[in-house]
Amino acid sequence: MNTILVIALILAMAATLYALIRGIVAFLQTTKEELNLPEGVVRPSSLKQNKMMMNRILFQAAAIIIVAILLMAKGHG
């Protein structure tokens, strides 16, 4: 059981890193034209940034939950 949780933790951490890097890349690819769009216009790069950062938060939450489960299992064992 612990082995499965450790593998799941590594996958969650890798997914977190991937989402973080994708969000940063999306941020860096924002063009001047997008920045000069009128207020209220949804920018494609902003949507991608938001999606990647929400994914990062979800993957981080999953990693934290897995760590908590591992710690609880360690305390009972």
Side-chain angles (χ1 to χ4, degrees):
M1 177 72 171
N2 280 350
T3 305
I4 294 171
L5 287 174
V6 169
I7 292 170
L9 177 61
I10 291 169
L11 291 174
M13 291 187 308
T16 300
L17 182 62
Y18 176 75
L20 175 65
I21 291 170
R22 288 279 313 256
I24 291 172
V25 168
F27 174 74
L28 293 174
Q29 290 177 342
T30 303
T31 62
K32 276 190 175 184
E33 291 80 25
E34 285 182 343
L35 293 174
N36 291 331
L37 287 174
E39 206 166 312
V41 175
V42 179
R43 299 177 185 102
S45 65
S46 295
L47 291 175
K48 188 171 184 177
Q49 290 173 36
N50 287 342
K51 181 181 175 192
M52 287 297 109
M53 291 305 141
M54 282 302 299
N55 285 341
R56 179 187 59 83
I57 291 168
L58 291 174
F59 293 137
Q60 275 183 308
I64 291 169
I65 290 169
I66 293 168
V67 167
I69 292 170
L70 282 168
L71 289 173
M72 286 190 307
K74 179 93 170 161
H76 292 296

